[in-house]
Amino acid sequence: MLRRLTLTAAASLAVLSAAAPGAAAATAPIPLPLLQDVLRSAEEKAADSTADEVADTRDRLTVTTAETGNRAANGTYELECGPTGGTHPEAQSACARLEELAKENGDPFAPVPQDRMCTHQHGGPATARVTGTWNGRTVDAKFNQGNGCEISRWRQMEPVLPSVR
């Protein structure tokens, strides 16, 4: 059995060597990188990961609004805070509002509790969705104008969310 296995391996090697003659001829040793290059590469990676960690502490939100009664306010905007940036039309004041809400220790993205009594009024068809990262945690919140509690929640988030008509 061992002899058959050895013969099969030798025959396979002969066939492969004949099919790809360049593959069998590659007997030169593979050059290894110099130690200085390896160390420099490790230092660069460490510096890059530190920069990534700093960038990851920023608040980054995507705000999508529809049917607000203001065509200019409908759409998708990027909001970055710390430093302020993105495509949000009122980025500076939106970041300032989020900072105020953070100091209040509340969660402006939390949904209205199910057991809350809300007035039965309809504020319109406006909807919004906010996704991303805020204060180091993931956000995926939906907003509407379906009742008094939702209207109040929306207004609390202005100017992150646009004023509705």
Side-chain angles (χ1 to χ4, degrees), residues 58-64 75-81 84-92 94-95 131-133 160:
R58 295 171 44 160
D59 293 337
R60 293 182 179 176
L61 299 171
T62 301
V63 181
T64 304
T76 299
Y77 305 99
E78 301 296 325
L79 176 63
E80 296 178 4
C81 301
T84 302
T87 59
H88 193 284
E90 298 181 50
Q92 189 67 38
C95 289
T131 58
T133 305
V160 177

Side-chain angles (χ1 to χ4, degrees), residues 75-162:
T76 299
Y77 305 99
E78 301 296 325
L79 176 63
E80 296 178 4
C81 301
T84 302
T87 59
H88 193 284
E90 298 181 50
Q92 189 67 38
S93 53
C95 289
R97 180 63 181 140
L98 287 173
E99 191 174 319
E100 288 174 17
L101 294 170
K103 289 178 183 175
E104 293 174 8
N105 294 326
D107 182 1
F109 300 104
V112 174
Q114 293 292 325
D115 60 348
R116 176 157 305 154
M117 301 265 301
C118 301
T119 58
H120 186 70
Q121 64 188 43
H122 185 70
T127 60
R129 183 171 183 191
V130 180
T131 58
T133 305
W134 180 70
N135 274 353
R137 63 182 183 79
T138 302
V139 172
D140 187 356
K142 295 178 182 176
F143 295 82
N144 63 59
Q145 300 278 310
N147 60 43
C149 295
E150 291 291 350
I151 293 169
S152 174
R153 183 171 169 247
W154 184 296
R155 288 183 181 160
Q156 175 185 335
M157 289 295 289
E158 291 176 0
V160 177
L161 301 178

Side-chain angles (χ1 to χ4, degrees), residues 16-26:
L16 289 175
S17 296

